[in-house]
């Protein structure tokens, strides 16, 4: 009797977990997708301007420029991951 109750209990918990996963998983709404695509386009534009830029100044300025560029690249990767795109233009 204990074994059947435990089996039923596990089955019920599994079914509830499955239903919660199905219900709670929501994709991006159209407005969120459009917002992320615009943000991605602006970041890509900024990065394209930064690629050929010559940076002058102290080592701190050059390091800050490199850090900001890397932060933008990471942000672009995150946005592409949320949108489901594999390309990193």
């Amino acid at each position: 009797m204990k074994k059947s109750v435990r089996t039923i209990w596990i089955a019920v918990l599994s079914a509830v977990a499955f239903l919660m996963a199905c219900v709670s998983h929501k994709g991006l709404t159209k407005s969120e997708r459009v917002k992320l695509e615009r943000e991605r386009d602006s970041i890509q534009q900024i990065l394209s301007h930064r690629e050929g830029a010559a940076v002058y100044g102290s080592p701190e300025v050059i390091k800050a420029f490199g850090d900001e560029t890397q932060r933008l690249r990471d942000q672009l990767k995150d946005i592409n991951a949320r949108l489901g795109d594999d390309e990193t233009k």
Side-chain angles (χ1 to χ4, degrees):
M1 182 71 176
K2 274 187 172 181
K3 188 173 183 180
S4 62
V5 170
R6 186 175 56 188
T7 304
I8 292 171
W9 181 244
I10 290 172
V12 168
L13 289 178
S14 298
V16 169
F18 177 75
L19 288 174
M20 289 302 296
C22 290
V23 171
S24 66
H25 178 70
K26 293 185 179 180
L28 296 172
T29 63
K30 187 174 182 178
S31 62
E32 290 173 334
R33 179 172 282 282
V34 168
K35 181 182 174 187
L36 283 175
E37 287 173 351
R38 285 183 185 159
E39 188 175 349
R40 177 182 63 184
D41 293 342
S42 68
I43 291 173
Q44 287 173 343
Q45 185 178 16
I46 291 169
L47 286 174
S48 68
H49 285 107
R50 284 178 166 257
E51 282 179 3
V55 181
Y56 300 102
S58 66
E60 292 84 19
V61 171
I62 295 170
K63 183 177 181 336
F65 184 84
D67 291 344
E68 179 67 15
T69 302
Q70 186 59 45
R71 187 191 65 78
L72 288 170
R73 286 184 184 137
D74 293 341
Q75 188 176 0
L76 183 62
K77 283 182 185 178
D78 292 342
I79 290 172
N80 283 334
R82 287 194 66 196
L83 290 173
D85 295 342
D86 291 332
E87 60 184 88
T88 55
K89 292 181 182 178

